[in-house]
């Protein structure tokens, strides 16, 4: 017993010496044995295999979570966005929004560390409690910012979950069209409801790893299949042709690299949250290797046909390779549904007062009402593609770009706050003034281009889909509607 205690103390000491000030010593002792002090991720005393598959809190787990969560079904809509934007704009905007998204993810991580450091100085314990973005805003800026962050985050994650269900139905239809897409939505809603049994982001280790493998396969299948198919007969690459289409495509890319609404929850599941700072950027650089080649190749092959096919699977030739990609994406969308929905489960648990309960079964039953409105909304608005752009312009723009940049500026507006900041400016931007300039640019650009022009364009496109197909559409884009339906 004495040697074990000494070993634990040595490990705690090594964390402290490395500058990891983000947890009190008592919490570190609990975490070194593999258990989860934040949210009861299934107990700490299980077998080695269970611990390996179930208890993920390393830097690598966070990287897999970020990279796996970022692409998902949007991979299938990026060729559609390229048809709206044109090839050059599509590539440039991916790089631009990828870097901007990495910057605001960095800001969120800094604010999380600031909040946690201040609370731990007050001897506040986060045992069995998952810290969320709205709580960070509340602790640093007060209740109005808490309400703002909560409203945007919850709404975005709600529709993010809706999009996954729509994507599941859209994809399976290309393997089995005996059932319409609405019926498939009912079926996959029931399947995705099982995510209520996954306690927290600690427990997504194996899922994140598999999920990234699935999107990597799908992206390179799309690239290879498009090149093997060659250019379609009389292919036309006319984009961009209309402003409304251009800004719709641009906001879909803004949505693509705005997947860090769950950044705080992923950080909070880490054993050393301070190491998160550059993980999102590294994840984004990998994601570029999936999104740019696949979108470029599919747009090169099919051109303007994509304007009426928001799901790339609908144009790629039927084969065993495509069926495998569809099945893998279905599994990945289940995983991504869990990623988007788990923060909603936490919020709901806190609202009804069961967040600190230890029983997984009890919490699963309590979480189930969260799935019902998601299921219902997916049946009302089955518009795969256009809904991504609408969510990107109206929700992602504020949730993961404007609010983090504005909150960072306000948190460190005083000389005292800057002097005592838990995290100093990064090595590549060592001046507080430079950080403010970047943040002002992010707020201004996303407010005008993302929310303003993007909101106008994506809502115009979304309303057109409602007029064309109607609400509760039984089989969206199964057959291209005739012009008389407009």
């Amino acid at each position: 017993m004495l040697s074990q205690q000494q070993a634990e103390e040595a490990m705690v000491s090594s964390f402290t010496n490395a500058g990891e000030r983000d947890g009190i010593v008592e919490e570190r002792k609990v975490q070194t044995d593999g258990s989860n002090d934040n949210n009861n991720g299934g107990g700490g005393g299980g077998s080695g295999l269970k611990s390996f598959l179930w208890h993920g809190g390393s830097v690598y787990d966070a990287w897999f979570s970020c990279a796996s969560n970022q692409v998902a079904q949007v991979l299938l809509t990026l060729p559609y966005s390229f048809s709206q934007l044109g090839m050059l704009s599509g590539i440039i905007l991916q790089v631009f929004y990828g870097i901007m998204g990495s910057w605001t993810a960095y800001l969120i991580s800094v604010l999380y560390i600031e909040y946690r450091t201040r609370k731990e100085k007050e001897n506040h314990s986060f045992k069995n409690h998952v810290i969320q973005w709205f709580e960070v805003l509340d602790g640093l800026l007060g209740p109005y910012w808490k309400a703002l962050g909560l409203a945007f985050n919850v709404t975005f994650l709600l529709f993010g979950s809706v999009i996954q269900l729509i994507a599941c139905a859209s994809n399976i239809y290309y393997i089995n069209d005996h059932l319409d897409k609405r019926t498939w939505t009912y079926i996959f809603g029931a399947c995705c409801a099982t995510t209520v049994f996954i306690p927290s982001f600690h427990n997504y280790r194996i899922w994140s790893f598999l999920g990234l493998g699935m999107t990597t396969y799908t992206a390179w299948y799309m690239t290879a299949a498009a090149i093997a198919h060659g250019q379609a007969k009389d292919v036309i690459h006319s984009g961009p042709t209309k402003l409304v289409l251009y800004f719709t495509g641009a906001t879909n890319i803004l949505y693509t690299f705005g997947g860090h609404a769950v950044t705080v929850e992923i950080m909070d599941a880490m054993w050393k949250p301070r190491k998160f700072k550059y993980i999102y950027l590294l994840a984004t650089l990998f994601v570029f290797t999936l999104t740019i080649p696949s979108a470029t190749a599919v747009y090169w092959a099919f051109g303007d046909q994509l304007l009426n096919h928001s799901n790339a699977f609908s144009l790629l030739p039927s084969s065993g390779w495509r069926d495998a990609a569809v099945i893998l994406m279905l599994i990945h969308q289940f995983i991504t549904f869990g990623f988007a929905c788990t923060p909603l489960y936490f919020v709901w648990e806190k609202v009804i007062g069961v967040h600190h309960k230890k029983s997984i079964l009890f919490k699963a039953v309590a979480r189930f009402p969260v799935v019902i409105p998601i299921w219902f909304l997916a049946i009302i608005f089955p518009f795969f593609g256009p809904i991504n752009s609408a969510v990107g312009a109206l929700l992602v723009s504020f949730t993961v770009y404007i609010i983090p940049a504005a909150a960072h500026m306000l948190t460190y507006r005083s000389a005292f706050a800057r002097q005592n900041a838990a995290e100093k400016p990064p090595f590549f931007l060592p001046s507080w003034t430079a950080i403010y300039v970047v943040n002002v640019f992010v707020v201004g650009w996303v407010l005008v281009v993302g929310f303003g022009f993007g909101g106008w364009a994506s809502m115009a496109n979304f309303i057109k889909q409602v007029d064309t197909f109607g609400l509760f559409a039984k089989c969206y884009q199964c057959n291209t509607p005739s012009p008389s339906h407009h």
Side-chain angles (χ1 to χ4, degrees):
M1 281 299 293
L2 185 61
S3 60
Q4 182 182 352
Q5 184 178 356
Q6 287 172 340
E8 287 179 349
E9 287 174 354
M11 292 176 78
V12 173
S13 176
S14 69
F15 286 137
T16 307
N17 292 338
E20 301 296 340
R21 295 177 291 123
D22 47 72
I24 56 175
V25 171
E26 185 180 349
E27 289 177 337
R28 284 281 172 242
K29 284 185 179 179
V30 176
Q31 289 177 339
T32 52
D33 71 1
S35 66
N36 176 5
D37 81 294
N38 283 339
N39 36 43
N40 300 301
S47 68
L49 180 63
K50 178 186 173 184
S51 182
F52 175 73
L53 298 176
W54 192 243
H55 293 296
S58 71
V59 170
Y60 301 102
D61 289 306
W63 183 85
F64 275 110
S65 292
C66 289
S68 173
N69 186 43
Q70 195 174 102
V71 279
Q73 50 72 41
V74 81
L75 192 68
L76 307 175
T77 66
L78 285 173
Y80 166 68
S81 296
F82 270 46
S83 71
Q84 298 168 319
L85 291 162
M87 188 85 76
L88 183 62
S89 287
I91 294 170
I92 290 172
L93 283 173
Q94 279 204 42
V95 175
F96 176 71
Y97 281 126
I99 292 170
M100 187 183 286
S102 300
W103 172 252
T104 53
Y106 168 79
L107 297 180
I108 291 171
S109 70
V110 167
L111 293 173
Y112 167 89
I113 294 297
E114 184 68 40
Y115 168 76
R116 183 155 180 171
T117 301
R118 291 184 187 183
K119 286 292 183 182
E120 286 178 347
K121 284 178 180 176
E122 300 168 4
N123 293 322
H124 189 94
S125 173
F126 292 106
K127 191 174 179 66
N128 295 328
H129 182 91
V130 178
I131 300 172
Q132 294 188 268
W133 177 227
F134 69 90
E135 292 168 320
V136 172
L137 290 173
D138 184 29
L140 297 177
L141 297 171
Y144 291 111
W145 279 85
K146 173 186 177 181
L148 187 70
L150 188 59
F152 274 104
N153 227 35
V154 165
T155 311
F156 167 47
L157 291 169
L158 183 75
F159 277 97
S161 304
V162 167
I163 288 168
Q164 300 312 315
L165 283 190
I166 295 170
C168 285
S170 179
N171 290 346
I172 191 65
Y173 187 77
Y174 299 115
I175 290 183
N176 185 335
D177 59 4
H178 296 302
L179 299 176
D180 59 74
K181 290 182 183 178
R182 188 169 66 194
T183 303
W184 281 119
T185 305
Y186 291 130
I187 294 168
F188 279 101
C191 295
C192 289
T194 58
T195 57
V196 297
F197 292 100
I198 302 176
S200 79
F201 285 105
H202 257 289
N203 314 116
Y204 274 95
R205 165 174 277 186
I206 190 64
W207 292 114
S208 296
F209 177 77
L210 292 174
L212 191 58
M214 292 166 188
T215 50
T216 301
Y217 170 86
T218 302
W220 286 106
Y221 152 73
M222 288 168 63
T223 307
I227 293 170
H229 177 275
Q231 288 193 310
K233 187 179 179 181
D234 300 323
V235 67
I236 300 171
H237 299 89
S238 59
T241 55
K242 297 178 182 177
L243 278 177
V244 67
L245 291 178
Y246 187 87
F247 285 109
T248 301
T251 49
N252 188 40
I253 293 180
L254 176 127
Y255 168 84
T256 304
F257 296 98
H260 45 289
V262 294
T263 299
V264 170
E265 288 85 357
I266 291 173
M267 280 187 75
D268 200 59
M270 290 178 69
W271 298 319
K272 305 176 187 177
R274 281 181 182 274
K275 291 198 170 184
F276 183 87
K277 287 180 290 187
Y278 305 118
I279 285 175
Y280 194 88
L281 174 62
L282 296 174
T284 299
L285 294 176
F286 178 80
V287 166
F288 283 154
T289 69
L290 307 182
T291 57
I292 294 176
S294 60
T296 302
V298 175
Y299 178 55
W300 168 82
F302 298 103
D304 286 4
Q305 288 185 54
L306 285 156
L307 289 168
N308 295 314
H309 295 83
S310 51
N311 189 331
F313 281 148
S314 63
L315 288 175
L316 293 168
S318 180
S319 69
W321 296 102
R322 192 190 73 165
D323 290 351
V326 171
I327 291 166
L328 290 176
M329 285 305 288
L330 286 171
I331 300 169
H332 187 265
Q333 275 143 10
F334 164 81
I335 299 166
T336 311
F337 181 93
F339 266 99
C341 224
T342 298
L344 295 177
Y345 295 151
F346 294 153
V347 172
W348 178 245
E349 288 168 9
K350 291 169 185 175
V351 167
I352 62 175
V354 301
H355 185 60
H356 295 94
K357 300 283 185 184
K358 293 189 176 182
S359 168
I360 293 174
L361 184 61
F362 178 84
K363 290 172 90 167
V365 173
R367 289 170 167 189
F368 191 74
V370 175
V371 180
I372 304 300
I374 294 169
W375 213 343
F376 189 61
L377 287 167
I379 293 162
I380 298 176
F381 303 116
F383 310 128
F384 187 84
I387 195 172
N388 289 9
S389 298
V391 169
L394 304 180
L395 299 172
V396 174
S397 57
F398 280 92
T399 304
V400 296
Y401 293 100
I402 294 172
I403 291 176
H408 189 274
M409 287 190 286
L410 287 173
T411 298
Y412 297 109
R413 64 188 179 276
S414 71
F416 179 81
R418 293 192 294 273
Q419 188 178 351
N420 293 280
E423 285 287 333
K424 301 304 179 187
F427 70 91
F428 58 86
L429 208 64
S431 162
W432 284 101
T433 304
I435 291 175
Y436 267 72
V437 169
V438 173
N439 286 344
V440 168
F441 172 79
V442 169
V443 171
W445 177 276
V446 177
L447 196 60
V448 174
V449 178
F451 177 72
F453 288 109
W456 158 72
S458 58
M459 286 311 296
N461 189 32
F462 190 81
I463 291 166
K464 179 184 173 185
Q465 305 304 312
V466 175
D467 290 342
T468 304
F469 296 93
L471 300 176
F472 297 97
K474 194 171 186 178
C475 214
Y476 175 70
Q477 283 189 346
C478 295
N479 295 299
T480 303
S482 63
S484 61
H485 286 139
H486 285 273

